[in-house]
Amino acid sequence: QSALTQPPSASGSPGQSVTISCTGTSSDVGGYKYVSWYQQHPGKAPKLMIYEVTKRPSGVPDRFSGSKSGNTASLTVSGLQAEDEADYYCSSYAGSNNLVVFGGGTKLTVL
Amino acid sequence: EVQVVETGGGLIPPGGSLRLSCAASGFTVSSNHMTWVRQAPGRGLEWVSLLFGGGGTNYADSVRGRFTISRDNSKNTVYLQMNSLRAEDTALYYCARGLSGSYDAFDIWGQGTMVTVSS
């Protein structure tokens, strides 16, 4: 199962918005409502930020939002803050054989 | 406090075996699906295995036939038995709890246990 495709890097200034894409196929991202996004700071465990494409777990700021169109999912971070600088990974359900597939990760830099 | 703690990592020669443990507290592993995700040094996340609350299991192609996920309900602990280890299995192994109703959403993560496969 191939990893989902994410841009290696993204950046924005404080207060701006940035969108990170996650491209898969009709066998994963495009085929199901199960797309999640994780934030990972250096040396820390991943943190769930978005699940089922658009839902936010309790405690995640509403500056973080998710969407999907066809085989591409997106994470948008609005009102960028310094603490948003981290690696972001998308994941998707990929069917009953290889259940879960992750993206390669995007390093978000707050300028 | 709801948390999971992984143990059991270490340095192991190629072809060897190792068993990782994931002790949960604040929730019951048998009522949730539980997963193992690994991260090679400087690399991204890779899903490894999942154990459904009902007992079913699933594995990534890269470990199928070599790794086995299981749990001990009495100890509220999930395990990952890793056999025929290869250099490419070297990674930080995370245990995580699945969010109810979702396949790929994991909301509680441990800090990971490092596995190094080298002679």
Side-chain angles (χ1 to χ4, degrees):
Chain A
Q1 183 70 23
S2 300
L4 306 176
T5 299
Q6 296 182 234
S9 63
S11 63
S13 299
Q16 289 186 332
S17 293
V18 64
T19 296
I20 299 170
S21 63
C22 169
T23 301
T25 68
S26 58
S27 297
D28 39 62
V29 173
Y32 307 97
K33 68 173 184 177
Y34 300 108
V35 175
S36 299
W37 288 90
Y38 297 87
Q39 177 191 66
Q40 187 180 35
H41 287 109
K44 300 296 186 182
K47 176 185 177 182
L48 180 66
M49 305 300 284
I50 296 288
Y51 67 100
E52 291 180 19
V53 181
T54 61
K55 298 179 180 178
R56 275 188 313 275
S58 174
V60 173
D62 60 6
R63 302 185 295 103
F64 292 84
S65 62
S67 63
K68 189 182 81 165
S69 177
N71 296 337
T72 298
S74 299
L75 172 72
T76 297
V77 186
S78 305
L80 271 174
Q81 299 182 4
E83 58 263 35
D84 299 333
E85 185 163 294
D87 293 326
Y88 290 85
Y89 295 91
C90 61
S91 70
S92 173
Y93 175 66
S96 59
N97 192 24
N98 280 283
L99 208 62
V100 178
V101 61
F102 280 96
T106 297
K107 181 176 181 60
L108 174 61
T109 301
V110 180
L111 302 170
Chain B
E1 181 184 4
V2 177
Q3 65 176 1
V4 296
V5 178
E6 306 95 334
T7 56
L11 175 63
I12 193 82
S17 298
L18 203 60
R19 188 180 79 161
L20 306 183
S21 299
C22 169
S25 56
F27 70 98
T28 304
V29 296
S30 60
S31 298
N32 294 270
H33 55 277
M34 300 292 295
T35 199
W36 289 94
V37 173
R38 67 186 182 185
Q39 187 169 34
R43 305 295 295 273
L45 302 174
E46 180 188 13
W47 175 74
V48 173
S49 182
L50 188 142
L51 174 60
F52 289 96
T57 60
N58 204 289
Y59 301 91
D61 284 344
S62 58
V63 306
R64 188 174 291 117
R66 300 188 297 123
F67 290 12
T68 302
I69 191 171
S70 63
R71 71 184 179 219
D72 183 332
N73 294 340
S74 68
K75 295 182 178 179
N76 209 32
T77 297
V78 175
Y79 303 99
L80 185 68
Q81 177 67 44
M82 305 185 297
N83 299 330
S84 302
L85 282 162
R86 307 166 180 167
E88 54 263 37
D89 296 318
T90 294
L92 184 64
Y93 283 72
Y94 290 105
C95 172
R97 183 182 77 171
L99 197 62
S100 179
S102 287
Y103 286 102
D104 71 314
F106 308 113
D107 63 342
I108 303 296
W109 294 66
Q111 287 306 303
T113 186
M114 187 67 200
V115 173
T116 302
V117 183
S118 174
S119 54

